[in-house]
DNA sequence: CCCCAGGCGGTTG
DNA sequence: CAACCGCCTGGG
């Protein structure tokens, strides 16, 4: 079990298991944290955090002491990854992926922010997704002052529901602008209640989210996995499709979620990270040749 | 100029 | 149903 130690300027959390700050923020689940001078800095739930990993089992957090419970929840420190990992099917590819991605944890992010983020992610790449989300926050979020730095919260559905499509276009959201607007209106009007969605079984929850224009099965699955912490949700994107075809040629895609088990979404994240890591390694080698 | 980037909606056969 | 195509935009 982990332990929290408060100091005058920081809080240390030690005794962590399966925790890699770098991999947690690099694996593509979260778009609001950046590493600057060795420190991961970002905002979630309207709160600012600066953190680094001191050693394998210790992280050091710079934030308001009162927000520590928020970050423990965010990082899911209550979850035992030994138990989670033990539910994965035993398979050489999974074993490789667990090794490559050791320390990855699925965060508990804000539901609304996750929905918007993955609407924006479609047909897009990670640097640009980050850029677009931060533009959205700067224009519509609330200022958070930390020393000489200014950060912005992710704007609420009701704020975005009041934006015009033209304004969103101006942020370079492109064809996603009307999608964000339709999501904001649906959530703000409670036509799609995120609270209700969170109480539904995953398949029904997905259909409810898919009633929003611009939300299909992939975006819905990512939203459920990263925002609602429905760990069985199994997003199938172009990468996962490649992975399934390459390593699990006899497994029909609709069965994949079932095959990987109760925590299929978490297994997916390890496989995804592994494949991206392997491919980027081989590409960087190829470019040096 | 091409193609692609963690898809989706709309149309067509 | 499945297959296809266009889509805002930026980067290689």
């Amino acid at each position: 079990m982990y332990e929290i130690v408060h100091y005058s300027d920081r809080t240390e959390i030690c005794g962590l298991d399966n925790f890699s700050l770098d991999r947690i923020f690099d694996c593509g689940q979260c778009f609001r944290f950046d590493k600057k001078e060795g420190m991961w800095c970002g905002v979630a739930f309207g709160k600012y955090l600066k953190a680094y990993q001191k050693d394998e089992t210790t992280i050091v957090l710079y934030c308001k002491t009162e927000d520590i419970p928020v970050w423990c929840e965010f990082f899911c420190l209550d979850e035992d990854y030994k138990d989670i990992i033990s539910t994965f099917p035993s398979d050489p590819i999974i074993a490789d992926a667990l090794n490559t991605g050791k320390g990855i944890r699925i965060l508990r992010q804000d539901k609304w922010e996750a929905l918007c983020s993955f609407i924006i992610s479609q047909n897009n790449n990670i640097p640009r997704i980050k850029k677009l989300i931060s533009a959205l926050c700067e224009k519509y979020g609330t200022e958070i002052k930390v020393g000489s730095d200014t950060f912005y919260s992710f704007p609420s559905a009701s704020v975005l529901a009041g934006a015009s499509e033209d304004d969103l276009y101006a942020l370079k959201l492109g064809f996603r602008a009307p999608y964000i607007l339709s999501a904001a209106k649906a959530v703000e009007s409670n036509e799609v209640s995120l609270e209700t969605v969170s109480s539904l079984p995953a398949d029904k929850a997905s259909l409810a989210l898919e009633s929003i224009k611009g939300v299909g099965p992939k975006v819905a699955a990512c939203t459920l996995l990263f925002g609602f912490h429905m760990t069985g949700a199994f997003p199938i994107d172009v990468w996962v499709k490649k992975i399934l075809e390459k390593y699990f040629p006899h497994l029909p895609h609709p069965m994949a979620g079932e095959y990987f088990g109760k925590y299929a979404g978490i297994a997916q994240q390890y496989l995804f990270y592994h494949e991206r890591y392997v491919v980027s390694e081989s590409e960087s080698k190829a470019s040096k040749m």
Side-chain angles (χ1 to χ4, degrees):
Chain A
M1 194 52 186
Y2 64 93
E3 196 183 333
I4 299 172
V5 186
H6 295 290
Y7 295 91
S8 59
D9 64 329
R10 68 189 189 281
T11 300
E12 296 199 8
I13 302 180
C14 52
L16 295 169
D17 180 49
N18 193 75
F19 194 104
S20 164
L21 212 47
D22 284 346
R23 287 174 183 165
I24 286 167
F25 286 129
D26 265 339
C27 72
Q29 62 176 316
C30 174
F31 305 104
R32 291 273 281 152
F33 280 77
D34 289 302
K35 199 175 191 180
K36 285 181 246 165
E37 295 159 8
M39 296 275 241
W40 283 102
C41 308
V43 173
F45 299 100
K47 298 170 193 316
Y48 174 74
L49 173 69
K50 200 159 83 167
Y52 74 95
Q53 186 145 7
K54 194 171 161 186
D55 58 51
E56 202 184 331
T57 61
T58 311
I59 54 172
V60 182
L61 311 183
Y62 295 84
C63 65
K64 290 184 185 167
T65 305
E66 68 197 60
D67 292 342
I68 289 295
V70 173
W71 298 117
C72 291
E73 179 83 1
F74 181 68
F75 288 114
C76 293
L77 298 186
D78 55 316
E79 291 187 334
D80 185 340
Y81 266 66
K82 275 194 186 65
D83 290 346
I84 291 171
I85 287 167
S86 72
T87 68
F88 296 166
S90 84
D91 179 288
I93 303 308
I94 302 248
D96 275 357
L98 286 170
N99 190 40
T100 309
K102 185 169 165 46
I104 290 176
R105 304 175 77 89
I106 299 291
L107 299 167
R108 278 179 208 273
Q109 301 186 64
D110 177 73
K111 297 174 176 64
W112 165 243
E113 178 175 337
L115 175 59
C116 287
S117 298
F118 288 95
I119 287 173
I120 291 172
S121 79
Q122 65 184 268
N123 209 219
N124 218 339
N125 54 57
I126 290 172
R128 212 171 85 90
I129 296 165
K130 284 184 148 185
K131 206 179 286 181
L132 291 173
I133 293 172
S134 75
L136 201 57
C137 293
E138 277 173 41
K139 178 145 171 99
Y140 295 101
T142 307
E143 266 194 16
I144 302 167
K145 295 260 186 200
V146 183
S148 58
D149 296 329
T150 305
F151 295 85
Y152 296 88
S153 68
F154 191 87
S156 67
S158 56
V159 168
L160 288 182
S164 76
E165 201 174 303
D166 287 347
D167 287 344
L168 294 176
Y169 257 108
L171 296 179
K172 312 289 185 188
L173 284 169
F175 65 84
R176 305 163 195 84
Y179 296 167
I180 293 293
L181 205 51
S182 69
K185 285 178 177 166
V187 169
E188 198 263 339
S189 68
N190 236 27
E191 189 185 317
V192 174
S193 157
L194 298 185
E195 282 316 303
T196 303
V197 169
S198 71
S199 71
L200 295 173
D203 53 344
K204 297 274 192 292
S206 183
L207 290 176
L209 291 177
E210 286 171 46
S211 73
I212 298 167
K213 200 178 178 66
V215 178
K218 193 286 186 173
V219 170
C222 285
T223 304
L224 294 178
L225 177 58
F226 302 119
F228 291 74
H229 211 65
M230 292 190 187
T231 50
F234 192 84
I236 300 183
D237 54 48
V238 292
W239 284 91
V240 174
K241 206 174 284 176
K242 270 188 240 170
I243 291 164
L244 292 176
E245 280 155 14
K246 188 169 166 187
Y247 304 112
F248 305 92
H250 303 300
L251 177 64
H253 296 185
M255 299 290 289
E258 199 179 318
Y259 174 73
F260 291 107
K262 186 179 168 193
Y263 300 104
I266 300 180
Q268 176 266 9
Q269 199 62 28
Y270 279 91
L271 290 167
F272 178 74
Y273 181 86
H274 177 255
E275 193 63 11
R276 293 211 61 159
Y277 178 85
V278 168
V279 170
S280 67
E281 278 297 290
S282 64
E283 278 176 356
S284 70
K285 273 179 196 163
S287 69
K288 284 173 192 165
M289 287 169 66

